[in-house]
Amino acid sequence: SLIGLQVVRENLVFSLKERIESDTLVLEDHASRSLDTVTARLESLIPITNEDALRVQALSTEFLRQIVFEDRIIRSLSLVDPSGKVVASSTADNLGVTLPKDFLPGPVSQGGMNTVQYGRVYPFRDLYQVGTTSPSNESNRFWVTSLAVKVGQADYQWVAAVNLSLFSMGRLYRDWE
């Protein structure tokens, strides 16, 4: 009957609205926790970023790899000097890469020291692929996140390559369960 179909339709619409609201809450919670983790990781590097650490190579690939070990949110942590060259990284392939001038979210003067900034999304897995002509597949995109720090008188930036594939709804539900 027409009334029965209308009741079924109303119930389906109500269920769909509830599902969308639930999905939105899950995504918002996941995104908030993930970005808090990225911020905490970057801020934890401030006290150990100094001229002595660079001189004695204390910020080795192995040391930085341990900081992001089993971290599915951050693919790599890299320290970029004022010329745009990666001078320390948790990913060996990133070492020595010179990033394009417009790569980072903005000049240090816009965000200030020790302020996390979020930049663009790149169709690559990590920094070492930036500038190549062959982007990765869709699941390997990363989001540039940076934190400006002073090393002596120079402005350096810590850069985190944030793994965007963790923000897909299918992935969220697998991780949530």
Side-chain angles (χ1 to χ4, degrees):
S1 83
L2 186 58
I3 294 175
L5 287 174
Q6 194 171 13
V7 169
V8 168
R9 181 180 175 268
E10 287 173 6
N11 286 338
L12 286 173
V13 168
F14 180 76
S15 294
L16 181 60
K17 283 181 181 179
E18 281 187 331
R19 177 64 188 243
I20 290 171
E21 288 172 3
S22 175
D23 288 352
T24 301
L25 289 174
V26 168
L27 181 59
E28 182 180 325
D29 182 61
H30 179 70
S32 177
R33 288 177 190 224
S34 297
L35 296 179
D36 287 348
T37 298
V38 171
T39 298
R41 289 274 193 278
L42 287 169
E43 288 175 346
S44 74
L45 298 168
I46 294 171
I48 62 170
T49 308
N50 55 55
E51 289 174 314
D52 292 336
L54 287 175
R55 187 174 34 259
V56 299
Q57 298 180 342
L59 302 173
S60 68
T61 297
E62 185 56 37
F63 174 76
L64 295 173
R65 189 177 295 135
Q66 290 299 316
I67 292 174
V68 294
F69 183 70
E70 292 187 9
D71 186 336
R72 297 176 302 157
I73 299 164
I74 298 175
R75 285 207 178 115
S76 70
L77 285 173
S78 300
L79 183 62
V80 179
D81 73 9
S83 72
K85 182 179 178 183
V86 176
V87 295
S89 181
S90 61
T91 300
D93 289 342
N94 290 344
L95 290 171
V97 169
T98 300
L99 300 172
K101 292 199 182 303
D102 64 345
F103 178 81
L104 296 171
V108 174
S109 61
Q110 286 183 359
M113 288 296 150
N114 305 334
T115 301
V116 175
Q117 296 184 37
Y118 294 90
R120 294 186 299 193
V121 172
Y122 286 89
F124 305 105
R125 176 164 180 72
D126 211 335
L127 303 181
Y128 65 89
Q129 293 179 318
V130 172
T132 64
T133 55
S134 305
S136 310
N137 64 40
E138 186 69 17
S139 68
N140 279 333
R141 297 177 308 143
F142 75 91
W143 188 12
V144 175
T145 308
S146 70
L147 174 78
V149 292
K150 279 278 189 205
V151 178
Q153 297 300 314
D155 296 337
Y156 281 67
Q157 292 198 51
W158 279 107
V159 176
V162 176
N163 180 4
L164 281 182
S165 69
L166 288 179
F167 293 91
S168 70
M169 286 307 289
R171 180 70 180 248
L172 285 176
Y173 280 107
R174 284 193 307 274
D175 291 350
W176 197 263
E177 296 173 336

